[in-house]
Amino acid sequence: MGPPRVIIVDSAEFPLRAAHCIAAALGSAVEQRGNCMLALAGGDTPLPVYDRLAALPGVPWDRITIYFTDERAVPPQHPDSNYRRATDSLLSRVAVPPERIHRMEAERPDRERAALDYEALLPAALDLVLLGMGSDGHTASLFPHSAALAETRRRVVPVSGASTLPRLTVTPPVLRSAKQLMLLVAGEAKALLVARALEGPEDVAVLPAQLALSGIWLLDRAAASRLVRTGAGSSVHPSDS
Ligand code: 6PG
């Protein structure tokens, strides 16, 4: 995969444009391969996108298998659960067969076992992985300077940092093997980080969201507002800087 493809849309249009982008990628994967292995991002940014996606016609949901990039160590009905939030905004409204929805059981006391069990469920290569970027540059639950960033063998690991709930997360090998990555970032608060990620030096330990530099970066105008050399449709790579 080459450098990122940057798509910049007006903030008001962001959820619907992102939903159309995802629907197109899902349809294309199903057309080419008969089914699509989709990993959903957590956090707030995707929620209005999932809401619009649920209402789009023609998505072959019966051919789509759902995974999660990460999950917090809370029960599935907890308001902080990525599974709960994706279910409320999307999965409860579309016809994905229940047996095709694979929840990360991060609430299990033995999170090591839960990580190994989830790893066994993952396909060798996901077709589409949706990601967000935190205000510290993390993606999935791969936080700056975390040991999980150096993982080359395991594909799901437990993580726990001082400032956040313990979690399970996919590791860089899962992102690197994915056929398509799509990073969704909105809001002025992340504009500097987006600019650093797309136009600064590549250092995944400092800016784990750079693991998605080979994918599509779907930005609203506010999140893209500090970009200097990167416009919509750009294929840019920090090594060009
Ligand atoms: C999580 C997410 C995380 C998220 C970023 C951005 O479980 O928190 O997977 O990686 O994508 O923190 O979150 P927002 O979209 O809420 O800013």
Side-chain angles (χ1 to χ4, degrees), residues 145-157:
H145 309 295
S146 84
L149 286 167
E151 187 58 59
T152 55
R153 189 180 47 79
R154 294 185 61 179
R155 290 157 42 83
V156 181
V157 293

Side-chain angles (χ1 to χ4, degrees), residues 35-36 61-67 96-102:
N35 58 40
C36 178
W61 289 109
D62 61 327
R63 311 297 304 154
I64 293 169
T65 305
I66 301 288
Y67 300 89
V96 177
E99 67 274 13
R100 281 180 174 251
I101 299 177
H102 299 297

Side-chain angles (χ1 to χ4, degrees), residues 49-75:
V49 178
Y50 294 159
D51 174 65
R52 293 339 181 266
L53 182 61
L56 289 185
V59 180
W61 289 109
D62 61 327
R63 311 297 304 154
I64 293 169
T65 305
I66 301 288
Y67 300 89
F68 290 83
T69 59
D70 60 329
E71 185 56 277
R72 294 86 180 267
V74 293

Side-chain angles (χ1 to χ4, degrees), residues 41-46 69-72 82 85 131-135 138-141 167 184 190:
D44 299 331
T45 303
T69 59
D70 60 329
E71 185 56 277
R72 294 86 180 267
N82 287 332
R85 291 146 73 88
L131 294 165
M133 183 180 78
S135 53
H138 79 262
T139 195
S141 287
R167 296 149 174 250
L184 309 174
K190 296 177 184 174

Side-chain angles (χ1 to χ4, degrees), residues 6 8 187-200 219-231:
V6 179
I8 303 170
E188 167 77 32
K190 296 177 184 174
L192 263 181
L193 269 180
V194 165
R196 272 182 53 197
L198 288 174
E199 298 179 341
L219 310 172
D220 75 349
R221 231 168 264 300
S225 58
R226 304 299 287 266
L227 291 174
V228 176
R229 294 187 307 283
T230 311

